[in-house]
Each structure stands twice: as C-alpha cells, then as structure tokens.
Amino acid sequence: MIIDRIEAIPYSIPMAKPLHFASGSVTKIDHVLLRMTTDTGIVGVADVPPRPYTYGETQASVIGLLTTLFADALIGTDPLDRGVIHSRLNRTIGNHATKGAVDIAVWDIIGKSLGQPVHRLLGGYTNTVRAAHMIGFADGPEMVEEALRYREQYGISVFKVKVGRRPLSLDIDLCFALRAGLGSDVELYLDANRGWTASEAIEVLEATSGLGLTFFEEPDDAQEILGRRRLVGLSRIPIVADESAPTLGDAAREIQTGGATALSIKTARSGFSESQKILAYAEALGIDVIMGNQIDTQIGSTATVVFGAAFEYSSRRAAELSNFLDMSDDLVAEPLVISGGSVSVPTAPGVGVEIDPEKLAHYRLDE
Ligand code: MUC
Ligand code: MG
C-alpha cells in the first residue's frame, strides 16, 4: 500500500460565536481539509487549523506545503513506514499543524486498512473522555452565563478561562464572579496566551490565590526567560506550557529548564505520534497534562478524543473538546456529542470521522 494522492482543500465556516483571546481572535474557521488517498483506495482524513498568531501558518501556507514539499515527501510512501514519513517531514522546520494533520491522516489510513479504530491501536484505555470548555473574552456577566449554560446543557464542570486583559482587575473580578456563580465543585483554570508580563501574572496569581484555580497556562511570554522563572518559582499551581511547547524538544526544554511545570498536548499540532512521545515524557516526570484545543472543528476534536482516551495518563484530566459548539456548522456527517460532561470514543475503523460531501461542497473555497 502506498500513498498516491494528497488533496489540500481550503474551506471556511463562520463562527456562530467568535472566540477572542489575548493573542488573537477566531471569527471564521479558515482551515484546510487534508485527504490522503492510497493506491488501494483508502482515504485518510485530517483537519489543519492554521493559527498565524501562534505558529505562523496560514491557509495558503498549509496548502503550499502539502501540495509541494510534503506531496513529494509522501507520495509513493507506505503509510506503515511512519518513521520514514516523519524523518522526511522534519526536513521542513515548524509548520506544526500541517505535520500534525499528516500524522493523523496516516494513522487514519492504518486504522482503516486494518479494520480497527485508531483509539485501540494507540492504547484503547477508556471509551469516554471528560470535556472541559474554553471561555473566550466577553464582558464578565456574559462569561459567567456561558459557563452556567455549558454546565446546564452539556454537564461540563471544568472550564478554561481566557484572561490576559488590562486592567488586571477585569480578569481578577471575572475569576471571583465565576467562582461565586459556579460554586466550589467546578474546576477553573486560566490561559493568558502571553498577554501579561511576569510581574502582572504574579499579581493575578496572588489576587486569586484563594479561589482554588488549578492551572495557569502561558501567563506571559516564555521567551522572557528570567521573568518566567520568577513566576514559576512563586506559583503554587502548575504553570502550563502550551504554545511554548508544540514539540517534544520544546516541551523538554521548557520543563527541564524551569519555564513550566505542566504541559498542554494538542493533537492539532503534534498529531498522534509526537503527542505520544510528549505524553510519555510527561508521565516519566509525573507532571500534569491537559489535552488542549486549538479551536478545533469536530474533525480535530475527534482526534483529541481518540488520543486522550487511548492512555491512562492523558485521560486523567478533562480534555478541551467543546469549542466546535461555537461554530455555525461543521464538515462531519455524524455530530460529536457531549453529554453528561463527556464524549464517547468513535468505534469505526480509523480515526472515526466521516465527511459529509454536501457540506464540504458548500464550504470549500476551491470549487
Ligand atoms: C489555547 O489554548 O491557547 C488559542 C490560540 C491557539 O493556538 O490555541 C487556542 C487555545
Ligand atoms: Mg493555551
């Protein structure tokens, strides 16, 4: 079996509710659907979410790479030879979302060719994953209302709150309002997407120390190395590396050198293969892992479910799975269901995503 066709299909779906955060905004889903076909007629599918403000990729750069350098690297290769595929992809630096999607599509082909769900091929640990919801910037009462609605409607009791605004009192007051509105049995953690300085983040940590927050993700810019280490040293809760740790090497550098004390793993940027290495690294050290969300569609969120549920260590905490609900539509034939605060793992061979051809025809930008 060899890969004999690569399709990079740009599509655009408006957000029903745009997501705003300290490093950017998503008002429409301008992604690329990757379809990889083998000479045996199997089609592997994955979603590529470009995030220019985080990693520099754009819809055009993803298509350019997939249809030139990566097409040359992949066409004629056996999908089972993942080592060959990764060594070829890694001749191009960066481009994490594009590489992650290639890996997921390759696993999709492997699962379909064996007639097995990828979830089982990876580890098959559990059949459901608890969902966490990420709340984007809005005014305080609206953010509290969103959390209450997600708890009521989907049974979600873990929330990641986007912060990083000025004045700091805006987000400090928000944390107090969320805790008061949701009660003590709800888990709350923060993500500032590098919006604050280390000193500002320390001030926020001190002001919110009685609220039982569990994590603080990218409070400041991890490249400001001494400020970050002062902050990590003073924090009583784990400081999570997200955009500062997209690869195994970055994760090791940030953790080993004291830049962070927990890791966000996102299949959207490290696929299944690299995510598995990052997970093993975290497990060996005993540091917390959060399965993160890159504002993923149902295609991308399904990949997170498949990976998160495959291992005991990645399923310990709730995974960020619900932000596809902010989209006005999606490309999948069968919706991903969040019920009682959890999502079930697909049982079909491969990753378990089926694309609706009519939706794809409607939203694709190239025809
Ligand atoms: C997050 O966890 O930071 C926002 C930008 C991005 O790349 O991911 C999201 C969510
Ligand atoms: Mg983050």
Side-chain angles (χ1 to χ4, degrees), residues 21 54 134 160 162 191 193 217 242 266 293-294:
F21 41 96
T54 315
M134 175 163 70
K160 172 158 107 176
K162 288 297 197 188
D191 184 0
N193 286 108
E217 190 167 306
D242 174 14
K266 294 181 172 174
N293 186 315
Q294 206 144 291

Side-chain angles (χ1 to χ4, degrees), residues 6-20:
I6 305 279
E7 292 167 276
I9 305 169
Y11 69 93
S12 185
I13 300 179
M15 293 288 271
K17 181 179 174 302
L19 192 80
H20 305 288

Side-chain angles (χ1 to χ4, degrees), residues 21-357:
F21 41 96
S23 56
S25 285
V26 175
T27 55
K28 52 188 169 61
I29 290 291
D30 281 329
H31 290 192
V32 176
L33 181 72
L34 168 61
R35 273 202 310 218
M36 206 184 273
T37 309
T38 68
D39 59 343
T40 56
I42 296 175
V43 184
V45 174
D47 196 39
V48 196
R51 296 285 168 258
Y53 34 76
T54 315
Y55 311 109
E57 291 167 287
T58 65
Q59 201 175 39
S61 78
V62 169
I63 295 168
L65 188 56
L66 284 171
T67 54
T68 58
L69 291 183
F70 282 8
D72 293 345
L74 293 163
I75 290 174
T77 310
D78 188 325
L80 285 165
D81 294 335
R82 287 186 297 117
V84 174
I85 290 172
H86 286 291
S87 101
R88 290 187 185 167
L89 297 187
N90 287 338
R91 288 179 200 153
T92 302
I93 62 159
N95 295 282
H96 308 301
T98 314
K99 288 176 182 166
V102 169
D103 184 66
I104 291 169
V106 163
W107 273 101
D108 195 29
I109 292 172
I110 294 171
K112 286 170 176 166
S113 73
L114 297 173
Q116 289 293 334
V118 169
H119 165 251
R120 291 195 62 210
L121 297 178
L122 287 170
Y125 175 68
T126 178
N127 292 327
T128 59
V129 179
R130 273 193 308 137
H133 179 64
M134 175 163 70
I135 309 172
F137 288 169
D139 66 30
E142 211 181 307
M143 292 173 79
V144 176
E145 186 278 324
E146 180 174 330
L148 288 168
R149 189 162 44 84
Y150 271 76
R151 187 172 64 170
E152 173 70 21
Q153 208 167 329
Y154 302 102
I156 292 177
S157 61
V158 182
F159 296 94
K160 172 158 107 176
V161 186
K162 288 297 197 188
V163 294
R165 296 178 288 188
R166 296 186 178 99
L168 305 186
S169 56
L170 202 62
D171 288 333
I172 294 170
D173 291 350
L174 168 70
C175 292
F176 277 88
L178 282 165
R179 181 56 83 207
L182 293 162
S184 58
D185 55 343
V186 158
E187 179 179 340
L188 295 172
Y189 59 104
L190 307 182
D191 184 0
N193 286 108
R194 302 161 275 146
W196 285 323
T197 64
S199 297
E200 286 172 322
I202 290 165
E203 203 176 319
V204 173
L205 273 172
E206 282 169 4
T208 57
S209 65
L211 293 178
L213 304 175
T214 45
F215 296 102
F216 199 171
E217 190 167 306
E218 302 291 7
D220 65 333
D221 188 343
Q223 293 190 49
E224 296 177 0
I225 53 173
L226 289 186
R228 174 57 80 92
R229 276 143 194 78
R230 189 161 62 87
L231 163 65
V232 168
L234 288 171
S235 180
R236 282 189 293 168
I237 57 174
I239 300 296
V240 183
D242 174 14
E243 53 265 44
S244 60
T247 67
L248 175 66
D250 295 319
R253 184 200 57 235
E254 288 306 308
I255 298 296
Q256 301 295 132
T257 67
T261 42
L263 289 169
S264 172
I265 298 182
K266 294 181 172 174
T267 53
R269 67 180 178 212
S270 46
F272 296 144
S273 304
E274 180 106 352
S275 292
Q276 197 171 353
K277 294 182 193 174
I278 300 171
L279 184 71
Y281 169 72
E283 185 173 354
L285 297 176
I287 58 173
D288 287 293
V289 160
I290 299 169
M291 292 306 303
N293 186 315
Q294 206 144 291
I295 309 151
D296 292 305
T297 62
Q298 292 182 50
I299 308 168
S301 302
T302 302
T304 305
V305 172
V306 162
F307 183 87
F311 309 95
E312 189 273 338
Y313 208 77
S314 52
S315 61
R316 286 185 178 184
R317 312 205 65 88
E320 297 164 8
L321 293 172
S322 54
N323 285 83
F324 66 82
L325 294 164
D326 295 332
M327 292 170 61
S328 60
D329 202 356
D330 216 299
L331 294 184
V332 293
E334 288 294 325
L336 195 63
V337 177
I338 305 177
S339 169
S342 294
V343 179
S344 294
V345 174
T347 51
V351 174
V353 168
E354 203 193 321
I355 303 299
D356 181 329

